[in-house]
Every structure is written in C-alpha cells, then in structure tokens.
C-alpha cells in the first residue's frame, strides 16, 4: 500500500468514523445521565437524514426555479432545520415513552426494551409511509474533486470531517464551561447526590436528548451528502455499531465516544482496503463486520471499562 | 494458634491510605469492638477481611490459613460471615429464601440434581428449609418466612440480616453497625441478643458500632482506629480513659453519653 | 389425586396437538403457528433465566439459536440426506427417528459452549457489559456464517426438508411437532426446577444484590456461567427445532438482532422472572404476529406502539415477577404438586 493510497483510505476512515463518533456521542451522553441504552438512537440518525432530505428538496424545489436561494443557505437551513426538528422527535420520545416509565419506577431494562420498540416503530413507520425504495439525497454542495500528490478527495469529505471536529470540540467546551454541561458531567459521576443538590434533572435530561438528537441529525445529513442514499433501515446497523464504539471508548465518556467512533471507522475502512492489497485477497470485504466486532471484543476483554472509562469501585 | 490473626493489614485507595498496619488476634468466643470516627476505615477493614477488597499488604489468617486473594464466597465458606452497614437483603425474595440461599456453599447436590429433583435433592432441600425455619424461629421471624424481605420493618430486616449471616455457619461474625437506626429499647434487646447468639452458636463476634453503650457494655476488648491507624486497644475501661481516644473523638457527643 | 392433574393436562395437550396435526384437524398453517409457539416458548423461557431471573441484559439470543440451528442441521443433512456438499446419506433413514433428538441435544451443547466463550469475559464486571458482548457476538456469529461458503454463506443452508421427509417416509408422524412439544416441556421443566432449588435461587440473589450474594457464600461467577450456558443451550435447542421447520431452510439473515429483540420483547412482556408469564407472552405474541399479518409493514408500526403503551400501564409486564399460581392460587391444585414436598419441612 503506497502512501498516496494510504492517505486516501485515511481520509475515508476519518469521514466514516465521523458518523460513528457523532452517533456514539448521543448514546454515551444519554447513558451518562440516565444509564439508559437508548437503542432508538440509530433511528434518530435515520429520522434526521430524512428530515434533512425533505427540507433540502423543498428548498431546492423553490430555489431551483425563481427565488434562487444560494446553496450555502440551503445547506445551513437544512442542517439547522433538521437539527431542530429531530431534537423535537428525540424530546417527544423522552417525554412520551421514557419519562413516564422512569417516574413509575419501572426496571431499567423495561426502558431499554421501550427504546428498542421506538426504534422499530420509527423504521417501519418510515417504510410504511415512504415505501421500500431508497431516496436519493440531493446534492447540497457542488462536489469538487481535488487531487494533491496522488490523493484525491472531495470538498464534501473535507466539510464532513471538518464540521465533525468543530462540533466535537464545541461539545467538549460546552460540557466543561457551561452550567448545564457541568451538571451533565456531575450527574454521570454521581446519580444519587447530584439531583439532591437542586440540579433540575428533567431540564438536564431534556438538554441531553436535544444535543444527542441534533448530533445524530447532523450525522444524518452528512451521511446523505456523502453517499446520497437514504433507506428506512440505514440507522440500524450504524446505530448498533456506534453504540459498541461508545462502549469501547468508555460509555458515559464523551471523549471515549469520539475515539471509539473513529477507531471503528478506521478498522472497517482498513479491513476493506487491506483486502485489495496483493497477498491479502482472502480478506474479503465481507469480513469487515467480523473483524471490527472481534477487535472491539478483544479491547473490551482487556479493558472492560473501555478506553477512557475509569473503573468505579463498587461500594460495599 | 489464635483463630483469627490479622497481620499488618494495609490498604490504599489509589494514593489514599485507608488502612495502615492493622493487627488483631481473636479466639473463639471473643467479642471485640471496633470503633473510630466516621471515615476512619472501619468498614474498609471488614471489607478486607471478607475479601470484598483485596488488601495492598498484610495477611488475614483463619486457623493459620491465609485468606488474602480468596474470593469472598470462599472466605465465607471458611467461616467468616458479616452484616452490612446499610441493609443489603435480597429485597424481592422471601425471608425464607434469604436464609436458605446463604447456605449455598453447603449444598452437596449438583446441577443435575437441582434440575431433576431426585431423592437426594429433596432430602437436602428439606434439611435446608428445616434449619432455616429453626433459625427464623429463634429470631421470632418464622411467621414472616414467606413475606418478601422488603416488606419487613427496619428492625426485623436487621434481624434477618444477622440470621442470614448465621445461616452460612460462621465461626466469626462481623456486625457492621447493627444498632444503627434503633431506639434505646431496641438497642437493649440487641445487646442481649448479640450475647445470646455468641453463646448459642459458640461464635467470635467482631462489631463496629457508633453506639458507645453497645460497645462499652458487651465487648471484652476494643480496637480504636483513626485515619486508618490503630490508636488504642484494650478493655472498655482502658479505652474510656485513653487520652488519644478522647482526642480523636473530641467534639463527638457519643462518648459522654456512654 | 392432585399429583395426576398436571401429567393429565400435559397428556391432553400432547394428544390434542400432535393427534390433531396427524389427522389434519389443524391445517398446515395452524401447525406452523403451533410450532412457532413452542419454539418461542423455549426461547422466551430460556432467555428469562438471564434477562429476568438474573437481571442481566443479554441481547444476542438469536446468535446462540443460530449455532444450534446450523450445527444440528448440518448433522442431520450429513447423516440422513442426499446432499450436494455432504454426498449420500451416511446412515439409513430409519435411524433418523431415534437420532433426531440426540442431534438436537448436540446442537444445544454446541450453543451452550458458544455461551461459555461469551460468559468467561462478560461476567468479570457487572453492568451493561453483557449487553454489548452479546450484541457483538450476535453480529460475529451472523457474519462468520455468512463467510462460510461450505454451508451456503449468506445464501443459507438447505436440505433439512429432505431429512424430515425421510423420517416421515419411515413412519408417518408429525415428528418435528412432537419434538418441539417435548423440547418445550423440557425447557419449562428445567428452568422451573432449577429456579425452585436453593442452588438456582442464588441467581435471583445475584439480581437483587450481587455483592451480598458473593459475601453470603454464593459462588456468583460459577453460577452466572452455569445459568448462561443453560440459557444458551436451550436457545440452541430452539434453533435446531426452528431449522427443521416446514421451510427446510435457514440463512444467517434469520438470526439477526431483530430476532433477538423479538425474544426480549416476549420476556419483558411476560414479566421478568415469571415462567408462566413467559409462556403466556410467547403464545400471545406469536398469535399477535399472525393476527396482524394482513397489516403488512404496518404490523411493525402497530406492535411497538402497542407494547410501548402497554409498558406505560403495566411497567413490569403481564405478570411482573409473579407466577400464575400466585395470582390464581386455585391453580396450585394443578401446578403446585411439587411444593407439597416441602410441607414436612415447614412445621
């Protein structure tokens, strides 16, 4: 594998890892605050992508003819609109399905099952309403291909990677500098004492769902822009994997989710890439999932708390 | 050889020294108290002895056998049982089940018997149940045998916890603040009760308690720890007059009350 | 007298179901529904051991089901069918009748060994660790099968139909239904007896407070591994039965997380730690799936909604952690015979 090809795959891995990382963040934040594995989160990603799709086609429909909305505005409106609406979906799910169960003191695992059901509901509602045919995500930005020293990449790829990094840095700042962010971290550290300190739990939980859903929506639009194909089940596999990435990074740890997401992206891209290298042809791309999950399992076996997780002593 | 011998027991939580060079010897039938201000490391010592934590250094010898490194159930099987500072019963299970399960290590039948329920299984299960009922009767709890543990009043839950510990057939019983949350009348009963089980079960008892009345009246010897270190060891009379102990407890009312 | 009620009830059910199918009182569709009910009972009751009684969260039951399904069908096809890959049958077809249950058990053992592999790393720490490992294992199993071209890879594995036809040719009986019925009974018997033993109740103690269980002399690690292997083994049994169903065909796509989710739903719907709850919900859920079939894809819109709403009203499932005999004590006359053995101990 020459350096140029390597860099090519490296960029692909960064992009692919961005999706995992952004989704994993939503998993890890909800888990940190509620100890809930929000299995509907992968489908929130799907919802975000579809909402983005509808907003974009709507705006393009107008803009293409008379109003001529500039493409950067369409992109901004699509992203913001989808983030807001998807947050609404996430919040609604929390209010209608999760919170009542919590307040009734249901076993935690019942909330997890409810999350699984919400996920199924979203997938099949989409399938039933929109049909099984994939949707083509419109081209929001004119794709330009650049070639530098044998490495070719598109502006979309750079935007995806750049935007993800910016968002993650912003999140990190938010969690460390703002009151709400600090409250979130405090709750994931001590679930008993912090709510007693006058921290408004429901507001914090709502904020967590809003942030998680917005990030998923952003990932959805980026995914659409990069691959142009949306389907009702696009969130399932990517969601499960992002969850595992979050755990590998150390569930409840924001940095862990980022690292876990990128790590998974790298493993997957490079397994496929390696299969094209002479001598490694046996490594067919169908081994991708097998290798990815096995590597993650090995990491977890060696370090059960995940890469960034800290073992908490169980009090006796 | 003493029954229990603790040598140089030391434990660090990360960089924090929780217990340092703790030593103790106990014989069968001894009743020893362990006191000290909050956070002095008393419960940590119990956790180290029962295997819940693994000590950084030191040895815990039961009849000469080193228990360090064993898993908690192995230590319990060898004869050390305990209760907890905050009650840790299996809440959804019946009182009877709480007692029976504590006999897990004495079960002789295997997995196959536990599924096929042959004669050997029934012989043993009946015996487990009978012993459990005997124990509950001793504590006056046999009427509540089929009640879920969580439904019992606090004082009775404390008793179930002691009964559960006794069901493991210990030779050494560790009681972690058994009088917590009890009123003076209940405490008097408890003191009576602790001495009675010591006689009936021929036990050594080691007790952490903040109620000085309990410690001063029933313990033969008392160990005082502060910041993980032993600051005094002696009879109740010696402890009462020890200046270091008085200093450690300065400002705490408990001592004057006793 | 009372102690004959339960065997009698089982006999009536057996004769009704098997006889009814033999004489074609039920058409093939209803035989299939009954078959799925039986398999779902095996899956649900076995998963309840882990997700209900033990309070851990295993979400890869379908993976272990797949191991049992593939191992047992490879064996039956190799031994008793003319197959492209495995060649002519190794043994005469008449042997299939006595050996079929043996092969099912071998499939179950294979699945429980797979469970052992998972259990060793997963039970070192508590929490949602098992959820992640089982999730990953479910994918690994599926992906591994997809990559094994010998057994059909992603296209799936066929030939079980010929095995069943050969068995029926030797002696015409609804063999699969018979063994599903027996497998279901065995599963209920195993889990019920195990969980009523003091040894097995340690599992519930683990759910309630694992540290206290360990400190009260329960060998928690060993018990968890035993329970997990038992549960996975029974999932493998269900897989073996499923693989020999009327389709005569299995593929890795059958054993996805969606299948695992279905089983989890049945467990929590019935109630964590309730065997009768699991049986009721497995039967009810199988029927519900069939009843809503005309809805097409909307079926999976309606079912999750129904379940979410139901959770809001009964946040601990149909029976919670109770058994049917706790809710209707009169049923003890039928199902409670064994408990009388304790009567002598109680006085």
């Amino acid at each position: 594998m020459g350096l140029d090809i390597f860099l090519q795959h490296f960029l692909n891995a960064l992009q692919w890892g961005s999706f995992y990382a952004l989704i994993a963040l939503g998993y890890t934040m909800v888990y940190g605050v509620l100890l809930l594995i929000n299995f509907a989160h992968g489908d929130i990603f799907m919802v975000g992508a579809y909402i983005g799709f509808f907003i974009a086609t709507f705006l393009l429909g107008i803009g293409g003819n008379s109003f001529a909305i500039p493409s950067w505005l369409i992109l901004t409106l699509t992203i913001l609109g989808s983030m807001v609406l998807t947050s609404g979906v996430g919040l609604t799910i929390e209010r209608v399905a999760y919170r009542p169960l919590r307040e009734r003191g249901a076993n935690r695992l019942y909330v997890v099952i409810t999350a699984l059901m919400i996920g199924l509901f979203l997938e099949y509602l989409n399938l039933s309403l929109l049909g099984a045919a994939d949707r083509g995500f419109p081209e929001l930005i004119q794709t330009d291909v650049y070639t530098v020293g044998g490495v070719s990449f598109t502006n979309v790829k750079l935007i995806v990677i750049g935007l993800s990094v910016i968002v993650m840095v912003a999140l990190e700042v938010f969690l460390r500098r703002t009151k709400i962010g600090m409250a979130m971290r405090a709750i994931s550290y001590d679930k008993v004492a912090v709510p007693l300190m006058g921290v408004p739990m429901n507001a914090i939980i709502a904020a967590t769902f809003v942030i998680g859903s917005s990030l998923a929506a952003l990932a959805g639009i980026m995914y659409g822009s990069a691959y142009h194909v949306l389907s009702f089940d696009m969130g399932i596999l990517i969601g499960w994997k992002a969850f595992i990435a979050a755990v590998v990074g150390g569930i409840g740890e924001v940095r862990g989710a980022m690292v876990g997401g990128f790590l998974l992206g790298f493993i997957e891209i490079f397994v496929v890439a390696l299969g094209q290298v002479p001598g490694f042809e046996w490594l067919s791309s169908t081994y991708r999932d097998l290798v990815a999950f096995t590597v993650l399992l090995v990491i977890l076996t060696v370090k059960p708390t995940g890469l960034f997780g800290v073992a908490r002593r169980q009090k006796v | 050889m003493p029954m229990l011998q603790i040598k140089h027991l030391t434990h660090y939580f990360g960089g924090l020294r929780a217990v340092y060079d703790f030593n103790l010897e106990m014989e069968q039938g001894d009743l020893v108290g362990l006191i000290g201000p909050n956070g002095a490391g008393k419960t940590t010592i119990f956790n180290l002895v029962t295997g819940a934590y693994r000590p950084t250094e030191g040895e815990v010898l039961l009849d000469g056998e080193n228990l360090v490194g064993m898993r908690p159930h192995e230590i319990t099987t060898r004869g050390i049982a305990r209760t907890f500072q905050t009650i840790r019963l299996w809440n959804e299970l019946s009182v009877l089940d709480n007692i029976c399960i504590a006999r897990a290590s004495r079960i002789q039948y295997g997995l196959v018997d536990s599924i096929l329920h042959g004669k050997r299984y029934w012989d043993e299960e009946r015996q487990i149940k009978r012993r459990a009922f005997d124990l509950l009767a001793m504590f006056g709890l046999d009427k509540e045998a089929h009640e879920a543990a969580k439904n019992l009043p606090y004082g009775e839950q404390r008793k179930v916890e002691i009964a559960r510990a006794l069901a493991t057939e210990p030779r050494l019983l560790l009681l972690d603040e058994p009088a917590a949350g009890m009123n003076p009348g209940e405490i008097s009963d408890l003191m009576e009760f602790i001495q009675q089980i010591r006689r009936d079960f021929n036990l050594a008892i080691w007790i952490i308690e903040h109620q000085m009345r309990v410690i001063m009246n029933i313990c033969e010897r008392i160990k005082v720890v502060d910041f993980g270190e032993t600051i005094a060891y002696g009879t109740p009379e010696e402890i009462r007059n020890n200046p270091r102990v008085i200093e450690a407890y300065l400002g705490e009312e408990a001592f004057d009350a006793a | 007298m009372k102690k004959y009620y339960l065997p009698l009830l089982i006999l009536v059910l057996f004769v009704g179901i098997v006889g009814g199918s033999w004489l074609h009182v039920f058409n093939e569709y209803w035989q299939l529904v009954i078959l799925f009910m039986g398999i779902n009972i095996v899956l649900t009751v076995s998963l309840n051991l882990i997700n209900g009684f033990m309070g851990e969260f295993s979400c890869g039951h379908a993976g272990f089901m797949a191991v049992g399904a593939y191992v047992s069908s490879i064996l039956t096809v190799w031994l008793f069918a003319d197959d492209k890959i495995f060649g002519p049958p190794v043994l005469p077809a008449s042997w299939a009748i006595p050996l079929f249950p043996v092969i099912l058990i071998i499939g179950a053992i294979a699945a429980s060994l797979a469970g052992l592999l998972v259990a060793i790393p997963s039970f070192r720490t508590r929490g949602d660790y098992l959820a992640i490992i089982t999730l990953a294992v479910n994918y690994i199993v599926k992906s591994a099968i997809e990559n094994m071209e010998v057994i059909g890879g992603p296209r799936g594995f066929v030939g079980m139909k010929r095995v069943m036809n050969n068995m029926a040719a030797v002696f015409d009986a609804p063999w699969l239904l018979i063994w599903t019925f027996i497998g279901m009974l065995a599963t209920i018997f195993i889990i019920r007896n195990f969980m009523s033993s003091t040894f097995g109740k340690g599992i519930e103690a683990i759910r309630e407070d694992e540290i206290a269980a360990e400190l009260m002399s329960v060998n928690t690690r060993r018990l968890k591994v035993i329970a997990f292997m038992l549960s996975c083994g029974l999932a493998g049994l269900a897989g073996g039965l499923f693989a020999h169903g009327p389709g005569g065909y299995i593929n890795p796509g059958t054993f996805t997380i969606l299948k695992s989710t279905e089983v989890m739903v049945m467990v929590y719907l019935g109630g964590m730690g309730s065997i009768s709850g699991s049986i009721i919900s497995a039967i009810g859920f199988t029927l519900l799936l069939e009843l809503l079939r005309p809805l097409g894809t909307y079926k999976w819109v309606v079912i999750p909604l129904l379940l979410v709403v139901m959770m809001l009203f009964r946040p601990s499932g149909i029976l919670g952690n109770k058994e049917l005999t706790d809710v209707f004590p009169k049923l003890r006359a039928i199902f409670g015979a064994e408990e009388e053995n304790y009567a002598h101990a109680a006085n």
Side-chain angles (χ1 to χ4, degrees), chain A residues 28-40:
Chain A
T28 227
M29 289 179 66
V30 169
Y31 191 90
V33 171
L34 285 179
L35 279 186
L36 161 67
I37 310 175
N38 180 16
F39 278 138

Side-chain angles (χ1 to χ4, degrees), chain A residues 223-247:
Chain A
Y223 183 93
S225 303
Y227 302 102
H228 298 292
V229 185
L230 306 186
S231 64
F232 77 99
D233 56 356
M234 63 188 275
I236 304 176
L237 192 57
I238 211 170
W240 289 110
K241 286 184 177 173
F243 166 60
I244 293 186
V247 175

Side-chain angles (χ1 to χ4, degrees), chain A residues 31 35 37 39 96-98 100-101 104-114 116-118 120-121 123-129 236-237 240-241 243-244 247 284-291 293-294 297 299-305 314-316, chain C residues 51 55-57 59 121 124-129 131-133 135-137 139-144 146-147 207 211 215 257-258 261 264-265 267-272 297-305 307-308 311-318 320:
Chain A
Y31 191 90
L35 279 186
I37 310 175
F39 278 138
V96 174
Y98 303 159
L101 277 180
R104 264 158 246 218
N107 187 304
R108 209 163 62 82
L109 298 181
Y110 278 93
V111 192
V112 178
I113 287 294
T114 302
L116 276 168
M117 291 301 100
I118 298 284
L120 272 179
F121 168 76
E123 287 154 25
Y124 282 87
L125 189 67
N126 177 328
L127 177 67
S128 306
L129 293 177
I236 304 176
L237 192 57
W240 289 110
K241 286 184 177 173
F243 166 60
I244 293 186
V247 175
S284 111
S285 65
T286 53
Y287 281 102
R288 190 187 64 185
D289 289 358
L290 195 60
V291 175
F293 283 117
T294 311
L297 270 195
I299 293 176
L300 279 183
T301 308
V302 177
K303 198 162 184 321
T305 48
Q314 278 178 304
K315 201 162 156 48
V316 183
Chain C
N51 287 26
E56 288 274 358
F57 194 67
C59 44
R124 293 197 313 175
T125 46
R126 197 165 160 76
D128 297 317
Y129 201 52
I132 296 114
I133 303 248
L135 186 63
V137 166
Y139 272 112
I140 289 175
V141 168
K142 176 173 169 281
S143 193
E146 277 171 354
N147 281 296
R207 177 190 68 208
I211 293 174
L215 281 163
I257 300 286
L258 186 64
T261 306
M264 283 192 275
V265 164
V267 170
Y268 293 97
L269 186 64
M272 288 169 73
T297 56
Y298 277 100
K299 179 170 88 168
W300 284 107
V301 177
V302 174
I303 288 175
L305 269 189
L307 288 169
V308 169
M311 295 272 181
L312 294 180
F313 288 103
R314 283 200 77 87
S316 50
I318 298 172

Side-chain angles (χ1 to χ4, degrees), chain C residues 38 65 95 117 126 160 201 252 259 270 284:
Chain C
M65 193 186 167
W95 287 39
L117 284 180
R126 197 165 160 76
M160 291 77 85
K201 274 184 184 147
K259 184 75 198 172

Side-chain angles (χ1 to χ4, degrees), chain B residues 47 50-52 71-74 76-77 80-84 88-93 97 100-107 109-111 114-117 121-122 125-126 128-130 133 164-165 168, chain C residues 186 189-222 226 230 321 338-347:
Chain B
N47 284 336
T50 52
R71 295 192 32 223
H73 77 265
E74 294 170 313
T76 309
T77 307
I80 300 181
R82 71 178 285 180
T83 64
F84 300 92
R88 295 186 83 148
L89 290 173
W90 301 306
N91 278 324
E92 296 290 333
L93 305 186
D97 283 342
C100 291
I101 293 168
R103 298 197 57 78
S105 66
R106 315 282 170 207
I107 293 173
Y109 64 77
L111 175 65
S114 75
I115 289 169
L116 294 181
H117 289 196
Y121 167 87
W122 283 114
E125 284 281 320
R126 275 196 211 99
I128 291 171
K129 293 265 144 62
R130 199 179 303 123
F133 267 107
R164 183 177 69 171
T168 67
Chain C
F189 177 85
I190 289 171
I191 302 292
R192 185 193 118 109
N193 276 8
F194 183 56
M195 286 315 300
S196 70
S197 74
T198 299
F199 180 59
K201 274 184 184 147
I203 288 172
E204 287 185 284
I206 290 172
R207 177 190 68 208
E208 295 293 311
D209 188 334
E210 184 171 348
I211 293 174
E214 175 75 30
L215 281 163
M216 288 300 129
S217 86
V218 178
N219 188 345
T220 53
R221 216 178 285 171
R222 172 164 159 259
I226 288 175
L230 200 55
N321 62 356
E338 206 188 29
E339 283 155 26
E340 286 175 17
N341 279 310
Y342 282 128
H344 312 288
N347 53 28

